Amino acid sequence: MQKVNNQLVIRKDDYRLLLSYLNGGFGKSAFNPLNAEGLKTELKNARLVNKDDFPFDVVRLNSVVKIKAEDKDEIMELTLVTPDKANIKEKRISVMAPIGTALIGFRKGQKVKWQVPAGKRTFTILEVINEH
């Protein structure tokens, strides 16, 4: 995965929760170790902010996100969740999944590159909805 544009921004409480998952604090989670390493790397480079200072348009845990692939007219809407709450039928995507790792910490209008089975694709974040 590769990010395009600015630095990753993460809320401190999300950061602590994600590290707990990555370090096995929630038991055996079903996620790919390679994806987990990618997320760990992203978290190390992230700018941590308090809840009150977190930008409203940045993807975080429980964000509803609308994205569009550069090469298609289709818009996908998904909710970014912890691994235990993921359910593809309900469009709840784990932060440990490749698309989750690619999106977290980036904001509306930014482009992300995501490795899919057919190669790399570029997506634009069209909308980010966060409950406050």
Side-chain angles (χ1 to χ4, degrees):
M1 119 211 44
Q2 178 185 352
K3 310 293 190 210
V4 181
N5 302 335
N6 308 320
Q7 181 184 24
L8 184 82
V9 177
I10 299 282
R11 263 180 47 170
K12 289 180 181 179
D13 54 342
D14 285 351
Y15 177 82
R16 286 190 293 274
L17 181 62
L18 291 171
L19 282 183
S20 291
Y21 272 95
L22 291 169
N23 294 326
F26 285 88
K28 192 90 171 144
S29 291
F31 55 82
N32 180 315
L34 189 58
N35 294 342
E37 283 305 312
L39 182 57
K40 263 187 192 177
T41 300
E42 295 296 334
L43 291 175
K44 285 180 187 175
N45 297 320
R47 181 170 57 92
L48 303 181
V49 298
N50 293 317
K51 179 180 178 178
D52 294 338
D53 298 326
F54 191 77
F56 69 94
D57 63 345
V58 172
V59 179
R60 64 175 300 263
L61 285 175
N62 300 309
S63 291
V64 176
V65 184
K66 290 183 182 179
I67 59 174
K68 183 184 176 302
E70 267 191 358
D71 56 345
K72 293 189 177 184
D73 286 333
E74 178 187 356
I75 293 174
M76 294 189 303
E77 180 175 303
L78 53 93
T79 302
L80 194 63
V81 297
T82 54
D84 57 310
K85 294 180 181 162
N87 183 326
I88 194 70
K89 290 179 184 174
E90 296 175 4
K91 298 182 182 176
R92 293 191 323 231
I93 306 298
S94 170
V95 67
M96 303 293 179
I99 185 63
T101 303
L103 289 171
I104 192 161
F106 286 83
R107 65 185 346 136
K108 178 180 176 178
Q110 289 187 301
K111 295 181 185 293
V112 294
K113 288 188 181 182
W114 169 30
Q115 185 68 42
V116 295
K120 283 189 180 176
R121 293 184 56 201
T122 301
F123 293 83
T124 301
I125 301 172
L126 299 177
E127 188 173 354
V128 178
I129 302 167
N130 287 311
E131 297 289 324
H132 287 290

